Amino acid sequence: MGGSFARTSETLGAGRSLPRWPHHGVSRLGVDRLLRRHAGIRRAGPRVTDRLFFAVVPDAGTAEKIAQRAAVWRARHGLTGRLLKAAHFHVNLAPVHEGNGLPDADEIEGWMARVREIPMPSFRVAFDRLTSFANGALVLTGEEATIGLEVLQQRLSDALDDTPRPARRYTPHVTLLHDGRHIEAEPVEPIAWTVREIVLVHSPVGQTTHRHLMRLPLA
């Protein structure tokens, strides 16, 4: 304990050492914890308040169907996590911003100009498997019937990246809820819709709301 305290004292500030503390009052352990806490505050960057990402969003009827079936799956598996709102169901394609506030209009228009050039027709997608991810997300996934989303995600990533890279690992999915209990993957009756557009979604951190800023129809 003394050695740890001495090392912390030596590295405090720019060459400043911590004065010797009396045996009564604040303990060395307490001081060490306090120093680590303040070091973490100094390292922390600006608070993240806003996220933007491109996504595929189901139509309202399909979203409501997902919500109804998700409630049944939640009850059947004894999960307690809160279901996402039907209006929040989406397939994330590419995050483009995470920071304090929104980027300026010119930057957003730059993204949109690139996305408009993506050669991709409308296509049918279907999710036929229910499973849990390692982070506790209960999700809908698929295999052959989600290939169109994989192609769209790769083309979108290439359009947004100045240096296109090889195909990235990507699993199209719709998150339903988060729960500490995981379930084994199981087949479910397919939930399908036709993807006709890409949506730029604004997700304020800590708020249960999604704003659809822009919609770009597929060619």
Side-chain angles (χ1 to χ4, degrees):
M1 181 68 69
S4 173
F5 180 75
R7 288 192 297 273
T8 304
S9 302
E10 292 167 0
T11 58
L12 175 65
R16 293 187 293 114
S17 61
L18 186 72
R20 293 182 178 275
W21 290 81
H23 293 292
H24 60 279
V26 182
S27 68
R28 288 188 173 187
L29 178 60
V31 173
D32 201 30
R33 287 175 176 167
L34 184 62
L35 291 174
R36 289 199 298 270
R37 182 186 305 169
H38 282 286
I41 292 174
R42 287 195 300 271
R43 286 193 299 268
R47 185 168 67 94
V48 173
T49 60
D50 300 270
R51 294 189 176 97
L52 293 177
F53 56 90
F54 283 105
V56 162
V57 178
D59 60 85
T62 301
E64 187 57 38
K65 181 187 298 183
I66 294 172
Q68 293 171 358
R69 293 181 60 183
V72 173
W73 296 325
R74 177 178 181 269
R76 189 175 74 210
H77 289 285
L79 305 178
T80 58
R82 180 181 297 180
L83 286 167
L84 270 66
K85 296 179 181 179
H88 291 182
F89 292 137
H90 66 276
V91 182
N92 196 322
L93 296 173
V96 288
H97 172 79
E98 182 175 278
N100 192 325
L102 295 176
D104 59 44
D106 287 343
E107 184 172 2
I108 293 177
E109 180 51 38
W111 300 334
M112 304 306 288
R114 295 187 180 204
V115 175
R116 289 188 190 101
E117 299 300 319
I118 296 176
M120 189 79 185
S122 299
F123 60 92
R124 192 78 172 163
V125 63
F127 294 89
D128 57 7
R129 184 170 296 272
L130 183 71
T131 190
S132 292
F133 282 172
N135 65 356
L138 180 70
V139 303
L140 282 172
T141 64
E143 294 184 3
E144 289 84 357
T146 62
I147 290 176
L149 287 169
E150 296 179 38
V151 173
L152 177 59
Q153 191 272 343
Q154 180 63 45
R155 292 182 181 179
L156 177 62
S157 297
D158 289 346
L160 295 171
D161 194 338
D162 291 326
T163 307
R165 305 171 188 176
R168 303 150 180 81
R169 182 180 180 86
Y170 174 68
T171 302
H173 63 278
V174 178
T175 298
L176 307 176
L177 57 82
H178 286 83
D179 197 277
R181 182 177 179 182
H182 291 196
I183 71 165
E184 295 294 328
E186 63 180 54
V188 296
E189 182 182 350
I191 295 179
W193 75 90
T194 299
V195 177
R196 295 187 171 89
E197 61 184 5
I198 300 172
V199 182
L200 179 62
V201 181
H202 173 212
S203 175
V205 175
Q207 301 180 34
T208 54
T209 183
H210 279 180
R211 295 171 55 213
H212 294 173
L213 299 184
M214 296 187 179
R215 297 173 179 270
L216 291 175
L218 295 177

